[in-house]
Amino acid sequence: MKTGIKILATLFALGLGSQVAAKTCEMSIDSTDQMTFDKKEMTVAADCKEVKLTLTHSGKLAANVMGHNWVLSTTDNMQAIAQDGMQAGLDNEYLKPGDDRVIAATDIIGGGESTSITIDVSKLEKGGDYTFFCSFPGHYALMKGKFIVN
Ligand code: ZN
């Protein structure tokens, strides 16, 4: 069954190659008062030119108590970004200003809020080792997942 879908997808891509290459893809992820994301893994197709990512927070707690953001980096850089972010504070969205290890990041939001960013997929390598996480102090241990470029 999966092979059949793949063949169909390939045929589709061959026929509509130029349109597929320019497409904008959308992804969403929810966060909670329990310090969790609702996804452990997110996959983006490498033929998406951009991804519009929306982070929601379905909890009730305020941003200074249980704030969440969505930060994308290589897996190697995650811990250092989170540690520097802790010292940067909420005023800086818990990220060191100008940190070029950060590939993409949303603002910190509190319960009931949502925020969106657009990610330039050309910055990402197909098959690269990427992780998404929350840089609010202490959260990345639980709030992280694998970001796959397929
Ligand atoms: Zn968080």
Side-chain angles (χ1 to χ4, degrees), residues 31-34 57-66 68 110-113:
S31 57
T32 70
D33 282 346
Q34 284 73 47
H57 187 325
S58 61
K60 290 189 166 61
L61 296 171
N64 62 339
V65 180
M66 185 53 72
H68 302 307
E113 297 177 334

Side-chain angles (χ1 to χ4, degrees), residues 67-68 134 136 139 143:
H68 302 307
C134 172
F136 192 101
H139 287 198
M143 298 189 74

Side-chain angles (χ1 to χ4, degrees), residues 13-23:
L14 286 173
L16 297 166
S18 56
Q19 286 172 34
V20 171
K23 73 181 172 183

Side-chain angles (χ1 to χ4, degrees), residues 8-139:
L8 277 177
T10 306
L11 289 173
F12 183 78
L14 286 173
L16 297 166
S18 56
Q19 286 172 34
V20 171
K23 73 181 172 183
T24 297
C25 305
E26 297 200 12
M27 299 177 111
S28 61
I29 185 164
D30 186 45
S31 57
T32 70
D33 282 346
Q34 284 73 47
M35 211 195 291
T36 56
F37 283 129
D38 70 342
K39 293 186 171 77
K40 291 274 177 214
E41 196 175 290
M42 299 177 86
T43 302
V44 63
D47 64 356
C48 296
K49 188 169 177 273
E50 324 187 291
V51 175
K52 186 186 174 200
L53 179 121
T54 301
L55 170 69
T56 55
H57 187 325
S58 61
K60 290 189 166 61
L61 296 171
N64 62 339
V65 180
M66 185 53 72
H68 302 307
N69 61 0
W70 186 95
V71 181
L72 179 65
S73 72
T74 61
T75 300
D76 283 351
N77 284 336
M78 176 190 74
Q79 200 158 350
I81 293 170
Q83 277 166 2
D84 288 347
M86 201 184 306
Q87 289 166 17
L90 181 57
D91 286 347
N92 291 308
E93 313 293 338
Y94 289 114
L95 288 173
K96 187 174 85 177
D99 191 335
D100 59 13
R101 296 166 301 186
V102 173
I103 298 168
T106 70
D107 289 346
I108 295 269
I109 58 170
E113 297 177 334
S114 76
T115 185
S116 293
I117 51 165
T118 301
I119 304 165
D120 181 355
V121 179
S122 68
K123 286 188 192 168
L124 301 171
E125 236 172 89
K126 194 173 173 176
D129 188 5
Y130 302 105
T131 294
F132 65 85
F133 63 98
C134 172
S135 70
F136 192 101
H139 287 198

